[in-house]
Amino acid sequence: MAIAVYTKFRSIVLLLLFLVLVFYVVQYKNNEHTLQNAELHLLVNAHRPYTSYQSCSDITNCPDVRYVKASHLRVSQLILTRLLRVLALLCDKHGVRYFLFHGTLLGAVRHQGHNPFDNDIDIAIPEEDFHKLQAAAEELPKGMFFQTESTDQYYKIPAYSFLLAKLRDMSSCYTSLMCRGKCHQNGLMVDVSVLPSNSQGDFLDFYKGMKKRFLGPLVHKTTDIYPRKKIKFDGFEFYVPWNYEKMLKQWYGKSYMELPSHGKLFSGDTAHNTKSCEEI
């Protein structure tokens, strides 16, 4: 009898100890996640916007800021912001109806700038405006390159995408994608998605991740994109789709405003900020 009572008592104690352990593990994870989010918010908010360094008032007056004192990643982002600003000014001048897209749209809405640890830019334009942009690219300042299959013989449009073009910085290099010999230009980039329309006049896109291989094109209603509106990004204002909340939910889910865990944040490739791939 005494042995049975003792055995039962020990089982209860062990169960309680297990529950206490689970409770503390959960609390630790929650606290860790909270601290990581706090660190990330501090990281984002500590960044000086591009406009605190230079104004970039027009295409011919947009100084290079790659030698400012900032973290390596932040310098990459400042180079990208300059690319985006010049491209936006060029689009406005020539009637190209661009808007921020995918991760850059998310960064603009969630951070008023780049996503933490992100080092590329995404925009989209209608297919019917692509010829205008190709012609306007002749006005790009020195050190920028409008990359297409026509201008770079080694560039190929990625599968399951509408990435017909990229705007490249010629004095940097994504070092994780280095190659030797017959290589496409590989400096820091603005991805330009050129969106075709369906028979109803709505725009076609691809889902994010593996879903794009199985679900076919994603349709964006014309009324979800136009008329465009402007929001802040790294000190400047850029055009975004009219119903950007709907598009962000389609790509990233309803919780798109929440920061992912620290380990899932980095989505880009390491880059050298002051040398081209040929110079490295």
Side-chain angles (χ1 to χ4, degrees):
M1 180 69 177
I3 295 175
V5 171
Y6 172 76
T7 302
K8 185 174 182 180
F9 175 76
R10 187 178 65 174
S11 299
I12 293 172
V13 170
L14 289 173
L15 177 61
L16 289 172
L17 288 173
F18 174 76
L19 292 174
V20 169
L21 178 62
V22 169
F23 172 79
Y24 277 107
V25 168
V26 171
Q27 286 295 103
Y28 173 79
K29 289 293 183 182
N30 288 339
N31 290 338
E32 183 182 43
H33 182 70
T34 301
L35 285 171
Q36 286 176 351
N37 280 348
E39 289 170 359
L40 290 168
H41 281 295
L42 286 172
L43 177 66
V44 173
N45 294 333
H47 285 165
R48 291 174 55 189
Y50 182 101
T51 49
S52 70
Y53 297 103
Q54 295 290 346
S55 62
C56 193
S57 56
D58 59 63
I59 296 170
T60 60
N61 183 26
C62 197
D64 194 338
V65 296
R66 75 183 68 228
Y67 294 103
V68 301
K69 289 184 178 180
S71 70
H72 185 88
L73 174 63
R74 182 58 185 149
V75 171
S76 295
Q77 293 175 343
L78 290 169
I79 295 169
L80 289 165
T81 297
R82 178 173 178 257
L83 287 174
L84 177 60
R85 173 66 171 170
V86 168
L87 186 56
L89 289 169
L90 203 61
C91 287
D92 290 343
K93 179 180 177 181
H94 292 277
V96 178
R97 297 162 294 168
Y98 82 91
F99 47 91
L100 303 187
F101 206 48
H102 290 159
T104 305
L105 177 59
L106 176 62
V109 173
R110 194 169 62 189
H111 306 290
Q112 294 75 57
H114 297 267
N115 284 305
F117 309 113
D118 207 1
N119 67 351
D120 64 358
I121 294 278
D122 301 291
I123 72 163
I125 64 171
E127 188 176 48
E128 62 194 86
D129 287 358
F130 188 45
H131 70 284
K132 297 180 188 177
L133 185 57
Q134 287 177 296
E138 298 293 329
E139 300 175 28
L140 286 169
K142 185 179 179 181
M144 295 185 187
F145 173 58
F146 192 67
Q147 184 179 48
T148 66
E149 288 188 341
S150 298
T151 62
D152 186 339
Q153 62 176 318
Y154 301 118
Y155 174 70
K156 300 300 177 186
I157 299 169
Y160 303 101
S161 81
F162 296 118
L163 291 175
L164 271 62
K166 297 173 184 281
L167 179 60
R168 295 278 191 177
D169 173 71
M170 298 290 285
S171 298
S172 57
C173 177
Y174 288 108
T175 54
S176 61
L177 298 173
M178 289 284 290
C179 68
R180 303 296 176 191
K182 298 178 179 180
C183 304
H184 61 76
Q185 214 293 327
N186 198 34
L188 287 162
M189 66 186 177
V190 176
D191 282 332
V192 182
S193 291
V194 182
L195 304 183
S197 301
N198 62 16
S199 57
Q200 286 75 45
D202 298 319
F203 294 104
L204 302 180
D205 180 22
F206 281 105
Y207 284 91
K208 302 291 288 181
M210 290 299 295
K211 288 193 290 186
K212 63 186 176 184
R213 296 178 179 269
F214 305 106
L215 298 182
L218 175 64
V219 177
H220 300 301
K221 294 287 186 182
T222 303
T223 51
D224 288 333
I225 295 177
Y226 298 110
R228 299 168 298 165
K229 51 189 171 184
K230 285 188 172 182
I231 61 175
K232 285 276 190 180
F233 183 94
D234 213 359
F236 297 106
E237 288 192 338
F238 296 102
Y239 281 111
V240 298
W242 175 257
N243 194 358
Y244 61 77
E245 297 97 337
K246 178 181 176 181
M247 295 174 70
L248 288 171
K249 288 176 183 176
Q250 288 177 316
W251 293 325
Y252 303 107
K254 294 180 180 179
S255 60
Y256 66 85
M257 289 298 288
E258 297 178 11
L259 284 167
S261 62
H262 212 313
K264 296 179 181 179
L265 273 169
F266 187 74
S267 60
D269 302 292
T270 53
H272 198 297
N273 291 326
T274 58
K275 290 185 179 181
S276 68
C277 297
E278 291 77 13
E279 294 172 319
I280 296 175

